[in-house]
């Protein structure tokens, strides 16, 4: 029995990890890119080139959309109409309305849609979720997430009409984490310094959850020499969980989560690629019909939160997430 064929649409930055990830899992991959970069990508990393989107859809069993965000809806709807299961890079879309339409198109076609929120597969973040979900620690009252990196050099990222800006493109990872850990977000307030089109940019967002928990998210697009750096802290009665990608490689626990519990939750392997783990999870869900760690509905909720943050920045006011389109 042969493995499904993956149709990768796009040959930009994230394709550099999706393509080798699929290949390492034993899949055949065909690549199509409107910018003409598919031959260079496949020549360097492997896979075959599809000369057109129609050819890719004919040859592929699963479609992986890794294009700029503005193209996601059209490509997902084309793939769904062709009866293909779909992986789509985050964010699903620039608006919640488009994300909802994509989900509806996949449901009508009877195919699965998986948003690539890869941070759920990074060991420290997964460990935080497991610690809370399993009851090893109580639900956090306060969470802080940060994500700091160089300002993108590819022009479309800096065009908010095409990327949604830093909140939609970068910080959406941590908006998804915040909701994954402590549940639905009902309101946000955000501030910004700098303009992502011309200079370094920092956005601070406060999320108020239905549970009463508060999450602070800090996103930075800085100088091109800035090292990529992420982390979090989460606290509840008698405990604090922290992670910093530059200071310590695995989750550190301060306080006692349970009697005689380990000092580190849990041990992780640095050799495991979160991108490959994500794709393996999606492939298994398609094969077995079960759930994946992240669902299409999770992707829609993340877009709603990011859209609310952008509205808050525009209005300099608290915004209710449910009222965003």
């Amino acid at each position: 029995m042969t493995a499904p064929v993956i149709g990768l649409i796009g040959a930009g930055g994230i394709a550099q990890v999706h393509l080798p990830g699929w290949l390492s899992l034993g899949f055949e991959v065909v690549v199509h890119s409107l910018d003409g970069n598919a031959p260079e990508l496949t020549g360097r990393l492997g896979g075959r080139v599809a000369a057109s989107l129609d050819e890719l859809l004919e040859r592929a069993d699963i479609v992986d959309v890794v294009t700029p965000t503005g193209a996601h809806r059209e490509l997902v709807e084309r793939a769904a109409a062709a009866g293909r299961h779909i992986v789509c890079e985050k964010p699903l879309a620039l608006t919640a309305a488009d994300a909802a339409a994509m989900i509806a198109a996949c449901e009508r076609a009877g195919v699965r849609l998986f948003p690539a929120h890869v941070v759920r597969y990074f060991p420290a973040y997964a460990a935080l979720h497991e610690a809370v979900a399993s009851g090893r620690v109580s639900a956090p009252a306060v969470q802080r997430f940060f994500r700091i990196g160089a300002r993108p050099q590819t022009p479309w990222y800096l065009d908010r009409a095409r990327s949604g800006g830093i909140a939609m493109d970068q910080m959406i990872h941590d908006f998804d984490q915040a909701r994954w850990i402590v549940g639905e977000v009902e309101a946000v307030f955000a501030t910004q310094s700098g303009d992502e089109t011309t200079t370094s940019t920092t956005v601070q967002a406060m999320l108020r959850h239905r549970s009463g928990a508060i999450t602070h998210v800090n996103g930075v697009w800085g100088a091109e020499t800035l090292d990529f750096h992420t982390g979090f802290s989460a606290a509840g009665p008698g405990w604090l969980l922290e992670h910093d990608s530059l200071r310590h490689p695995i989750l550190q626990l301060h306080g006692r989560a349970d009697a005689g519990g380990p000092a580190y939750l849990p041990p992780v392997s640095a050799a495991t690629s979160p991108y490959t783990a994500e794709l393996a999870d999606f492939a298994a869900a398609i094969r077995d019909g079960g759930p994946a760690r992240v669902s299409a509905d999770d992707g829609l909720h993340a877009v709603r939160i990011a859209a609310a943050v952008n509205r808050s920045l525009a209005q300099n006011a608290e915004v209710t997430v449910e009222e965003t389109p």
Side-chain angles (χ1 to χ4, degrees), residues 214-285:
I214 297 294
T215 298
H216 173 262
V217 181
N218 179 35
V220 177
W221 276 350
E224 64 179 84
T225 56
L226 189 63
D227 288 334
F228 189 67
H229 184 194
T230 70
F232 62 77
S233 62
W239 67 270
L240 170 67
L241 288 168
E242 294 183 303
H243 170 67
D244 185 307
S245 65
L246 293 185
R247 289 196 294 114
H248 40 75
I250 59 177
L251 191 70
Q252 289 190 350
L253 170 65
H254 306 280
R256 300 189 65 178
D258 50 21
Y264 293 90
L265 289 178
V268 298
S269 169
T272 302
S273 163
Y275 297 95
T276 303
E278 170 189 58
L279 299 176
D281 186 36
F282 296 158

Side-chain angles (χ1 to χ4, degrees), residues 56 59 69 71 135 141 193 213 216 219 232 283 291:
L56 179 142
R59 295 172 63 182
T69 308
S193 61
H216 173 262
F232 62 77

Side-chain angles (χ1 to χ4, degrees), residues 169-309:
D169 187 80
Q170 186 228 55
M171 297 171 70
I172 195 168
H173 281 301
D174 295 311
F175 301 152
D176 177 61
Q177 290 301 303
R179 176 177 171 270
W180 194 37
I181 304 301
V182 293
E184 302 301 338
V185 177
E186 62 180 11
V188 306
F189 178 74
T191 62
Q192 178 170 329
S193 61
D195 176 356
E196 58 249 70
T197 64
T198 59
T199 187
S200 297
T201 304
T202 299
V203 170
Q204 310 275 349
M206 299 295 295
L207 316 182
R208 177 160 48 86
H209 297 263
R210 288 180 189 168
S211 65
I214 297 294
T215 298
H216 173 262
V217 181
N218 179 35
V220 177
W221 276 350
E224 64 179 84
T225 56
L226 189 63
D227 288 334
F228 189 67
H229 184 194
T230 70
F232 62 77
S233 62
W239 67 270
L240 170 67
L241 288 168
E242 294 183 303
H243 170 67
D244 185 307
S245 65
L246 293 185
R247 289 196 294 114
H248 40 75
I250 59 177
L251 191 70
Q252 289 190 350
L253 170 65
H254 306 280
R256 300 189 65 178
D258 50 21
Y264 293 90
L265 289 178
V268 298
S269 169
T272 302
S273 163
Y275 297 95
T276 303
E278 170 189 58
L279 299 176
D281 186 36
F282 296 158
I286 291 169
R287 182 190 65 234
D288 301 334
R293 189 175 297 182
V294 56
S295 69
D297 190 58
D298 292 327
L300 171 60
H301 279 284
V303 170
R304 284 178 173 156
I305 297 167
V309 168

Side-chain angles (χ1 to χ4, degrees), residues 25 132 172 261 270:
L25 293 169
V132 174
I172 195 168

